[in-house]
Amino acid sequence: MTTSLVTAPPPADADPGAGNRAPKRRRAEPSDLPAGSKRRRFPTAPWLLLAPSIIILGVMVGYPLVRLAINSFQKYGKAQIFGAPPEWIGLDNYMSTLGDAEFWAVAGRSFGLAAVLVVLTMGIGILLAVMMTKLNKFFRLLMSVGLLLAWAMPPLSATIVWGWIVDTKYGLLNYVLNWLTQSDAFTGHSWLIDPMSFFAVLTVIITWQSIPFVAFVVYAGLTQVPEEVLEAAQLDGAGGPKRFFLIVMPYLKSILLVTTILQVIWDLRVFTQVYALQGMGGISSQTDVFGTYIYHLGNSNLGVAGAVSFIMVAMMLLISIYYVRKTVKEEEV
Amino acid sequence: MRKLSLAALGTVAVIALAGCAGSGGGSTSDSSAEVRVWLVGTDTPDAARDYLKKTFEKENPGSTLVIEEQQWTGLVDKYTTALSGSDAPDVVEIGNTQAAAFTSAGAFTDLTDKFDDLGGDDLLPGFVEAGTYDKKFFAAPYYSGARVVFYTPQIASAGVPTTLDEYVANGEAMHSADSTVSGIYAPGRDWYNVLPYVWENGGFVAEQDGDTWKAGFSSAGGIKGLTQMQTVYEKASAAPKDGDETNAQVPFCEGKVGYLSAPSWFAGSLATAADDPTAPGCPDTFGKDATAFALPGMTEGKAAAAFAGGSNIAIPTKAKHQDLAYDALKILVSPEYQKIMAENGLIPGLVSAASALPDDAVTKAAAEAAAASKLTPAAPKWADVEASNVLQDSFVKIAQGGDVDQIAKELDAKIEEILNS
């Protein structure tokens, strides 16, 4: 009930935009109408403009995707890459993948990691965004710069630097912990050898880099919440938390939904950070997620790697379809 | 008017597309071509690189030769994509244990009828074998490097052990005297250095039985070797349990390493100036009196069977300039070039060039180790075993104190699965 009441303003807010678009369309129509017969003519101009992106997408994404699909039904190893004719084996790659305990372990790890990452990123991101609205201009600028730098750093470089921080022998972290505890307990402590510890480090690295995006987007959304509504609620006696959860959050709902979906997708297909960190320590078979698992499979068996990729996409679709449908419904209201 | 704008739009679109697709391809005639040589790692000395470039460009006026340095890490993946694509390099260096993956897949040009032209029986026999598949010769020997044990008397005061057991005992003694010192430097991912323990205790990596491969880490000898290895990890080494063998000169130069088993060219890393910006050594401190011995075996006076590393060179089937590539490859195995390699402590791919090897302790130890050295299984899919990280993962688990029997069984199952697939 409250939600529908409160969500009412955004359409009103969005209306001017829609109103702007509608007259344009209406203005365009009269000029087309007299031409009558020309109306059904092939819309050359839009297609010409679209052509380059369609061609590039087709070549860069479409063709590899088709090849991947074909490969996933074939026995496709190194000899086939160099020209030997592949052998069709039907659904064998899919069946062997689904019956492989390692695949399910990888799936569990990926979804677990993604869940933790999304919750942390969204939670901390929102908190930081709220903090930015409360800060004065100087500190807000300082924070924006800090967030931007984290966001702008290439994931590979970031992971390498973090890897040095947690290095077993010469890492800063062990040094500081030794100094804080005034002991030798952390000398030679490996942060990556234990899978749980590996994922803790990984979580820090990825969260650190994805928070800025959430913080900025949510901050932008927060500045759009009309002051008057908040003021009215305050006069009616709504306290801080109540105002935040009953007024601000509903305003941000669509923004939060979109960012959450994006985070789920990004966090499920994370590759760079895991791969780079595996190179610095740990046991790769215990720390593989979808991305690195497929990559490791792909160096000897493209067929199975393709099958795993499609199963992963199917799983991701199943999960995100709920959110996507929900967003679509929201937009229709 | 309308037509004009449409035409303009089309032009813009085409230009945009061209902008994205441009700067590719461009065929070059063979007389003035750029020949790309892929060398791996920093092992090839600069003097040899200069000689290759100068000699090639003198013999082939108008053509240029560029050396593009690759990384050992992930090399099989990289070559799989690069050599099957249309932009393949002209000459490639490949690890001797990885060569079979490409010779068996038809990725290299057949050099069988050029065998005598390249040096014939003077080519290093074990490496000719590594570059041969199905009786055809694909990849020429480039260099070999046996693993020897480096030490400095400043740390390893016990000196040269005579048996493998004594070597381990000395390592344990050094580590228990000072827990920050690795009596034997043994990072968990350094799988090459596990092999001597397995071989010396009677184990094997994998053997062919009919048309299937059988892995031997869980054989009685394999278990014995891995158990001894676990003792080294736990009682003699302070190296990171999930670390790898790269940059071992760092702890060595800190004076934290007793014995360090490394390829003979590691002497060069130690001799690099201490203020070198990329990989500083320590020629004035712990590297000053560093010397080496061949890892001792089970019986006194005999060197252990250690892993022989090294490289082959080949021409990818998809290389554009096959003739020029062959010219470059011929320089790489020429006596003059191989002598430069030998002078820098690398065991040359030509047996006759070995006379140019420096006359020092490291080289003598390397020759002794090379005589007893062994190779990894000559299975076409062995490179996939290496690339799958299963060896590194298993040894890290052993270094962590895991159950040797179970880890060895799982490792063998995995190796057999890959080799027999």
Side-chain angles (χ1 to χ4, degrees):
Chain A
M1 187 60 207
T2 12
T3 5
S4 65
L5 261 180
V6 187
T7 29
D13 211 348
D15 254 344
N20 277 344
R21 253 178 276 127
K24 250 190 218 154
R25 224 181 289 140
R26 257 175 247 129
R27 232 179 287 135
E29 262 165 0
S31 68
D32 267 1
L33 266 180
S37 58
K38 276 188 189 168
R39 264 184 83 195
R40 250 179 253 150
R41 215 176 59 171
F42 185 73
T44 322
W47 281 107
L48 265 179
L49 282 169
L50 276 175
S53 29
I54 288 178
I55 293 171
I56 289 174
L57 276 177
V59 173
M60 308 296 281
V61 181
Y63 174 70
L65 215 60
V66 172
R67 272 311 291 263
L68 193 70
I70 294 172
N71 286 354
S72 72
F73 296 106
Q74 291 173 330
K75 203 175 154 145
Y76 208 96
K78 212 162 248 122
Q80 283 73 28
I81 296 175
F82 288 105
E87 179 193 337
W88 291 89
I89 51 169
L91 286 171
D92 275 12
N93 286 336
Y94 288 89
M95 298 319 284
S96 70
T97 301
L98 290 174
D100 187 359
E102 201 180 339
F103 167 77
W104 292 106
V106 169
R109 244 175 262 142
S110 293
F111 285 113
L113 177 72
V116 172
L117 285 175
V118 170
V119 170
L120 277 179
T121 314
M122 293 306 293
I124 302 176
I126 293 171
L127 287 177
L128 286 181
V130 173
M131 188 167 124
M132 274 167 85
T133 61
K134 309 288 179 210
L135 289 173
N136 68 29
K137 212 171 174 185
F138 172 76
F139 281 106
R140 188 160 64 226
L141 192 72
L142 197 70
M143 206 171 131
S144 308
V145 171
L147 286 173
L148 265 180
L149 285 179
W151 173 247
M153 195 155 171
L156 186 60
S157 330
T159 312
I160 302 276
V161 173
W162 278 99
W164 287 337
I165 293 177
V166 299
D167 186 83
T168 309
K169 275 199 106 71
Y170 307 102
L172 180 71
L173 185 61
N174 284 347
Y175 177 80
V176 169
L177 284 174
N178 267 341
W179 177 73
L180 280 178
T181 57
Q182 290 296 321
S183 70
D184 256 356
F186 289 95
T187 303
H189 178 80
S190 169
W191 289 94
L192 302 177
I193 201 164
D194 177 64
M196 284 319 279
S197 173
F198 180 97
F199 280 110
V201 173
L202 188 68
T203 306
V204 172
I205 300 174
I206 300 178
T207 316
W208 171 77
Q209 273 213 304
S210 30
I211 282 175
F213 175 75
V214 177
F216 281 125
V217 171
V218 173
Y219 174 68
L222 282 174
T223 57
Q224 300 303 308
V225 178
E227 284 291 325
E228 312 86 68
V229 185
L230 286 173
E231 215 177 299
Q234 197 175 6
L235 287 174
D236 286 343
K242 248 190 174 163
R243 263 178 287 151
F244 182 75
F245 285 107
L246 297 179
I247 299 176
V248 176
M249 285 301 260
Y251 266 106
L252 294 182
K253 209 172 162 191
S254 51
I255 289 180
L256 292 180
L257 258 172
V258 172
T259 34
T260 309
I261 294 174
L262 284 176
Q263 289 299 335
V264 170
I265 294 173
W266 287 340
D267 291 337
L268 269 179
R269 52 159 222 207
V270 59
F271 174 83
T272 315
Q273 290 92 335
V274 190
Y275 183 74
L277 211 57
Q278 281 179 340
M280 308 187 82
I283 298 173
S284 62
S285 62
Q286 292 176 354
T287 52
D288 265 344
V289 294
F290 274 134
T292 51
Y293 180 63
I294 292 169
Y295 178 81
H296 287 140
L297 277 178
N299 62 42
S300 58
N301 200 335
L302 283 180
V304 176
V308 175
S309 310
F310 275 104
I311 295 172
M312 170 190 158
V313 169
M315 287 175 150
M316 275 170 78
L317 277 180
L318 272 179
I319 287 183
S320 49
I321 214 153
Y322 165 78
Y323 287 102
V324 172
R325 278 184 60 183
K326 221 174 153 182
T327 2
V328 171
K329 262 188 203 155
E330 300 267 313
E331 305 237 306
E332 278 168 358
V333 170
Chain B
M1 184 62 205
R2 199 173 166 121
K3 262 190 187 149
L4 190 69
S5 67
L6 268 184
L9 269 178
T11 318
V12 169
V14 167
I15 290 172
L17 185 63
C20 297
S23 78
S27 65
T28 36
S29 72
D30 231 37
S31 61
S32 61
E34 186 187 75
V35 170
R36 291 153 67 218
V37 177
W38 280 14
L39 297 181
V40 194
T42 51
D43 311 338
T44 302
D46 284 339
R49 291 171 197 238
D50 293 343
Y51 176 83
L52 170 67
K53 194 169 159 60
K54 269 195 205 122
T55 315
F56 177 84
E57 285 170 7
K58 204 170 71 195
E59 287 175 3
N60 299 282
S63 295
T64 49
L65 183 143
V66 282
I67 295 171
E68 293 169 352
E69 190 172 301
Q70 308 299 313
Q71 301 287 326
W72 281 115
T73 321
L75 189 74
V76 174
D77 303 347
K78 170 122 200 208
Y79 277 11
T80 304
T81 42
L83 303 192
S84 60
S86 57
D87 196 28
D90 298 293
V91 178
V92 292
E93 174 185 350
I94 178 92
N96 55 340
T97 63
Q98 303 164 330
F102 297 97
T103 54
S104 64
F108 293 149
T109 304
D110 187 357
L111 299 173
T112 313
D113 51 343
K114 308 274 175 61
F115 183 73
D116 286 327
D117 189 35
L118 288 172
D121 292 337
D122 197 19
L123 294 166
L124 202 60
F127 282 68
V128 170
E129 206 177 302
T132 306
Y133 181 77
D134 207 11
K135 298 203 175 90
K136 284 184 193 142
F137 178 63
F138 292 99
Y142 185 44
Y143 68 84
S144 158
R147 258 150 232 275
V148 292
V149 181
F150 285 86
Y151 73 103
T152 159
Q154 298 170 55
I155 305 294
S157 46
V160 181
T162 51
T163 63
L164 188 62
D165 291 333
E166 190 191 338
Y167 171 75
V168 175
N170 285 356
E172 282 180 58
M174 280 185 265
H175 184 61
S176 63
D178 178 354
S179 68
T180 62
V181 168
S182 297
I184 297 170
Y185 187 74
R189 286 191 182 187
D190 183 7
W191 65 272
Y192 305 106
N193 277 321
V194 178
L195 301 182
Y197 296 88
V198 172
W199 283 328
E200 282 302 308
N201 281 288
F204 60 97
V205 178
E207 283 172 355
Q208 200 164 13
D209 181 18
D211 50 359
T212 57
W213 286 88
K214 200 174 156 8
F217 283 106
S218 59
S219 63
I223 298 285
K224 218 172 139 212
L226 291 178
T227 310
Q228 189 174 28
M229 194 65 223
Q230 195 167 42
T231 316
V232 172
Y233 287 132
E234 288 180 336
K235 297 193 181 142
S237 172
K241 304 234 180 293
D242 55 349
D244 60 22
E245 65 277 10
T246 53
N247 291 323
Q249 76 278 9
V250 178
F252 193 96
C253 289
E254 273 187 320
K256 297 287 184 199
V257 174
Y259 296 139
L260 178 93
S261 172
S264 49
W265 60 79
F266 181 72
S269 307
L270 290 178
T272 311
D275 55 358
D276 186 82
T278 48
C282 48
D284 303 320
T285 56
F286 293 104
K288 191 171 61 181
D289 52 1
T291 175
F293 57 86
L295 183 70
M298 277 299 169
T299 49
E300 212 167 305
K302 261 187 82 181
F307 169 70
S311 297
N312 284 54
I313 39 168
I315 301 168
T317 333
K318 300 230 170 170
K320 280 198 204 82
H321 318 294
Q322 292 284 338
D323 291 342
L324 286 172
Y326 181 71
D327 288 345
L329 186 135
K330 216 178 149 188
I331 298 171
L332 286 165
V333 292
S334 67
E336 294 80 11
Y337 184 91
Q338 287 292 326
K339 266 188 193 124
I340 304 177
M341 300 289 278
E343 280 159 11
N344 283 277
L346 299 156
I347 295 171
L350 283 180
V351 179
S352 61
S355 57
L357 281 166
D359 186 26
D360 59 23
V362 175
T363 313
K364 273 188 202 135
E368 196 189 336
S373 70
K374 271 193 178 183
L375 288 171
T376 51
K381 300 221 165 162
W382 176 256
D384 290 341
V385 175
E386 284 188 25
S388 72
N389 281 344
V390 59
L391 294 163
Q392 288 94 323
D393 283 0
S394 301
F395 299 145
V396 169
K397 285 182 200 161
I398 290 178
Q400 257 182 309
D403 177 37
V404 172
D405 277 343
Q406 198 197 337
I407 295 169
K409 271 200 197 94
E410 284 167 11
L411 172 61
D412 278 355
K414 194 91 193 179
I415 292 177
E416 284 169 11
E417 185 193 322
I418 297 175
L419 291 185
N420 296 323
S421 68

